[in-house]
Amino acid sequence: MAAVRFARTALAVAVLGATTASHAAPAASMQEKMLAEMKRLAERVEKLEQRNAELESRLAAATAPSPALTKRIEALEQANHELTAGLESDRITEREPELVTRLKAVEAKTDAIASPSKLAEALDGITVEGSVGAVAQRINGGARESGKHESVLTWRGDVGITLPAGDIGGGKGEFFTHLRFGQGDGFSGLKPTFTGAFNSLAFQAGGGSQETYAIVAEAYYQLSTPLGEDGEKSPHTLQFNVGKMDPFVFFDQNTIADNEAEKFLNNVFVHNPLLDSGGAVGADDYGFTPGVRLAYRNESGKPDWWQVSLAAFGAGEGAKFGRSFDQPFVIGQLEYGLKAYGLDGNYRLYAWRNGQYEGFDGSHSATTGWGLSVDQRVDEDVTLFARYGQSTKGKAAFDRAFTVGAEVTGDAWGRGADTVGMAWAWLRSSRDFRDAAPLLTGFGYDARGAEQVAELYYRWHLNKQLSLTPDLQYVRRAAANPDADSITTVGLRALYAF
């Protein structure tokens, strides 16, 4: 097309030139020259047009895809389709392109490298706590029927796992399970005492001392639901528990006298003696029982708070899943926590009824009673505690129990993580027991007054996980026998906890 435009322009110039030349030459001569020039230009234009047609033909031929090229394009499109389809699927098959297989292999390796973060995400909300403790003790001959000293070694392990159990409305659900295992059953052949155990840490399953296996001590569900329009920030909370539990986790708590693995070993100081040593709680042989609990907590007066709770637990054979859930152990508790001058205190008042209580004479009848548990920090380094229990019905060997004690931290001697614990207990024999004791098998004496128990320990922290605790216990007038020899035990507890 450019050649055509050039020819036309040249023709116009020639015509213009010919017209101009006509003024200097004759008309005939000029006409012949013009015709010859026009013919020459026309031939040139024709050649240019032919050349242009040839070029257009060659261009069209060059741009048209060949059959081979068309086939290659179709193959590439098919391969691209297979690649896209393979990458969109997480599965690996033998029909996939090699490139897809390699890419997925790389992704798998990348996921493996990132697996710690994925594992952390999967474990979010799961907490695990555990401890292993061992106790070596020696008791004097006055405590045993044989009159000989006895030394024993026991150990126990505990693992507690809390799992998230989803939400129900605004409530947060959790599932808690507790495994316990150990060996060693403590002292044997002891004379009668109101004290239930000199070593509350001792645990041995039914298989005996040569077999060690874990029991499912606790397994229960808990739902905590905030009340009101403030959602999770509400100071009002309703809590519900159902499953196999340790009743003392929720009742008769005490800051410095409720953990035999870390604090006092004698069980008259671990829990209310009437409930634990006296057996009014009615739990199984290991101290656990199925039950249901409901509690309301009010924290509107922060830092002070108060809580009321009510629960029913299996008692007797019901605690061992051996019969229906009738005549349960029922307990209600009112709690109040305060912070005065920066010092924490907790006050708990509770009452109970056990429809299947086993009395000191082997009889089964209902028992009722009430108790009080108090712990109050009176100084940055000193916390005091006291418990009182009173039986109002039932054949209990002792119907009054009072315990008092203190815990002192080691700041004064440069060992702030260490603690010293001391406690004293008074267990008064009941009138029914005093009347029956002279005729009861295993007793046969005139019971009077009260059994008195004292305990002293020093907890030495080796590091955050390890501690050693020398322990000394003393019992006077065991089982209210005025002629009974005094009992002394010395021991050492080692504990690893995480």
Side-chain angles (χ1 to χ4, degrees), residues 6 25 53 60-61 106 157 177 195 197 214 219 234 271 289 302 321 340 376 379 385 393 404 481 484:
F6 174 77
V106 172
T177 183
T195 297
S234 173
H271 306 302
T289 177
K302 283 186 175 182
F321 294 86
Q376 176 66 58
D379 183 80
F385 89 92
K393 181 181 180 181
V404 62
N481 182 358

Side-chain angles (χ1 to χ4, degrees), residues 141 266 299 342 401:
N266 195 303
E299 297 181 347

Side-chain angles (χ1 to χ4, degrees), residues 82-291:
E82 293 177 358
L83 181 64
T84 303
L87 292 175
E88 289 178 350
S89 174
D90 293 332
R91 299 180 60 186
I92 299 178
T93 68
E94 61 183 5
R95 298 180 179 179
E96 290 179 342
E98 181 180 359
L99 178 60
V100 174
T101 305
R102 290 183 178 181
L103 285 174
K104 289 185 176 180
V106 172
E107 289 178 350
K109 291 181 179 180
T110 303
D111 290 342
I113 294 174
S115 60
S117 61
K118 289 189 176 182
L119 179 61
E121 182 180 352
L123 296 178
D124 185 34
I126 299 176
T127 59
V128 179
E129 296 180 329
S131 66
V132 177
V135 176
Q137 278 185 314
R138 182 176 177 83
I139 196 167
N140 69 334
R144 306 184 70 232
E145 295 291 349
S146 65
K148 297 181 179 180
H149 297 274
E150 183 183 20
S151 299
V152 296
L153 178 65
T154 65
W155 74 275
R156 190 184 85 189
D158 293 273
V159 177
I161 304 172
T162 303
L163 304 171
D167 298 338
I168 299 179
K172 179 181 179 181
E174 294 180 332
F175 185 81
F176 176 77
T177 183
H178 171 199
L179 305 179
R180 176 166 288 179
F181 45 92
Q183 286 176 284
D185 206 17
F187 297 117
S188 61
L190 298 181
K191 295 178 182 179
T193 65
F194 291 156
T195 297
F198 291 93
N199 177 13
S200 298
L201 189 70
F203 172 82
Q204 184 169 281
S209 61
Q210 296 190 69
E211 297 185 17
T212 302
Y213 57 87
I215 68 165
V216 180
E218 297 178 88
Y220 62 85
Y221 171 78
Q222 176 173 291
L223 179 66
S224 299
T225 303
L227 304 177
E229 299 179 355
D230 296 333
E232 294 182 358
K233 297 181 180 180
S234 173
H236 309 280
T237 306
L238 192 66
Q239 192 174 84
F240 171 75
N241 302 84
V242 61
K244 185 181 181 184
M245 296 175 266
D246 177 359
F248 292 112
V249 171
F250 305 101
F251 298 92
D252 185 44
Q253 307 97 311
N254 198 286
T255 300
I256 65 172
D258 69 344
N259 187 346
E260 64 273 17
E262 297 182 354
K263 303 180 184 297
F264 297 101
L265 278 173
N266 195 303
N267 68 348
V268 301
F269 302 120
V270 179
H271 306 302
N272 190 309
L274 283 171
L275 291 173
D276 195 354
S277 298
V281 71
D284 65 13
D285 296 338
Y286 305 125
F288 307 101
T289 177

